[in-house]
């Protein structure tokens, strides 16, 4: 079995890292609870344009009007606060010990995604890392799945033997569906939005739940 996993909010707590950093920045710069709420909302789980988040920080906290510097500042804050979810890397180790292959497939700029991977020790638990900013293609374009499979030496594998797991319906589930592989959605307690199409093959509140359900299903079918 091959497991392709998203990074942010799937293997590592990106949103919690941003919120923790934003809280410290608001406190340091004399902001209010309303400022914090507006900054977190502007981030939109990492999916807003980074320049928009930077402008919100500049407006709310009185930073120097330098968008690239503000982006660098909050990205550094995320890297400082990010953590792998408890137990998830051990689960990846167990999958690999059982003979499966595991790769990270993440959207984002190289230095930021690689920085989070390094900070959380993810690379030791996977066989490959594919970062959109290094490849010139990003989820939901299925070409990024093909790159990951090629990196694993598995381009010809039966797609029923491949899982794409992530928390974003419009990116992770969509790219898995477009690539013809099986899909696992990390809901974090949310309901599936039909705007993203048919429900994923497996849904779980956490990444560990998704992996456990998917693995149990594979064992039942074997």
């Amino acid at each position: 079995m091959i497991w392709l996993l998203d990074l942010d909010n799937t293997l590592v707590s990106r949103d919690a890292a941003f919120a923790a950093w934003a809280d410290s920045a608001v406190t340091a710069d004399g902001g209010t609870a309303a400022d914090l709420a507006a900054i977190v909302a502007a981030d939109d789980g990492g999916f807003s344009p980074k320049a928009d988040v930077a402008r919100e920080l500049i407006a709310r906290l009185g930073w120097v009007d330098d968008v690239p510097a503000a982006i660098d500042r909050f990205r550094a804050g995320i890297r400082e606060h990010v953590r792998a979810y408890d137990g998830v890397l051990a689960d990846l180790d167990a999958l690999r010990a059982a003979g499966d292959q595991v790769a990270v497939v993440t959207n984002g700029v190289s230095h930021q995604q690689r920085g989070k991977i390094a900070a959380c020790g993810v690379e030791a638990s996977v066989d490959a890392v594919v970062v959109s900013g290094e490849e010139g293609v990003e989820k939901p374009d299925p070409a990024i799945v093909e790159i990951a499979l090629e990196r694993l030496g598995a381009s010809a594998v039966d797609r029923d033997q491949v899982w794409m797991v992530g928390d974003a319906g419009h990116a992770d589930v969509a790219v898995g569906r477009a690539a013809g592989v099986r899909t696992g959605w990390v809901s974090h307690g949310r309901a599936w939005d039909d705007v993203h199409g048919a429900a994923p093959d497996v849904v779980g509140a956490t990444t560990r739940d998704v992996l456990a359900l998917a693995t149990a299903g594979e064992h039942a079918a074997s």
Side-chain angles (χ1 to χ4, degrees), residues 56-142:
E56 190 72 23
L57 286 160
I58 289 166
R60 290 277 177 175
L61 302 182
W63 289 5
V64 173
D65 189 5
D66 184 336
V67 168
I71 292 172
D72 287 344
R73 186 169 171 182
F74 77 72
R75 278 178 166 162
I78 291 169
R79 295 194 303 271
E80 180 181 348
H81 288 83
V82 73
R83 301 290 183 271
Y85 289 117
D86 288 346
V88 73
L89 298 186
D91 287 350
L92 302 189
D93 292 338
L95 290 171
R96 295 172 74 214
D100 293 354
Q101 290 180 288
V102 178
V104 174
V105 180
T106 178
N107 285 355
V109 298
S110 179
H111 77 274
Q112 183 69 358
Q113 301 308 86
R114 293 282 181 179
K116 285 180 279 192
I117 286 167
C120 297
V122 171
E123 197 156 14
S125 295
V126 302
D127 300 294
V129 174
V130 177
V131 181
S132 69
E134 298 171 358
E135 307 298 339
V137 61
E138 65 180 25
K139 297 175 286 185
D141 189 327

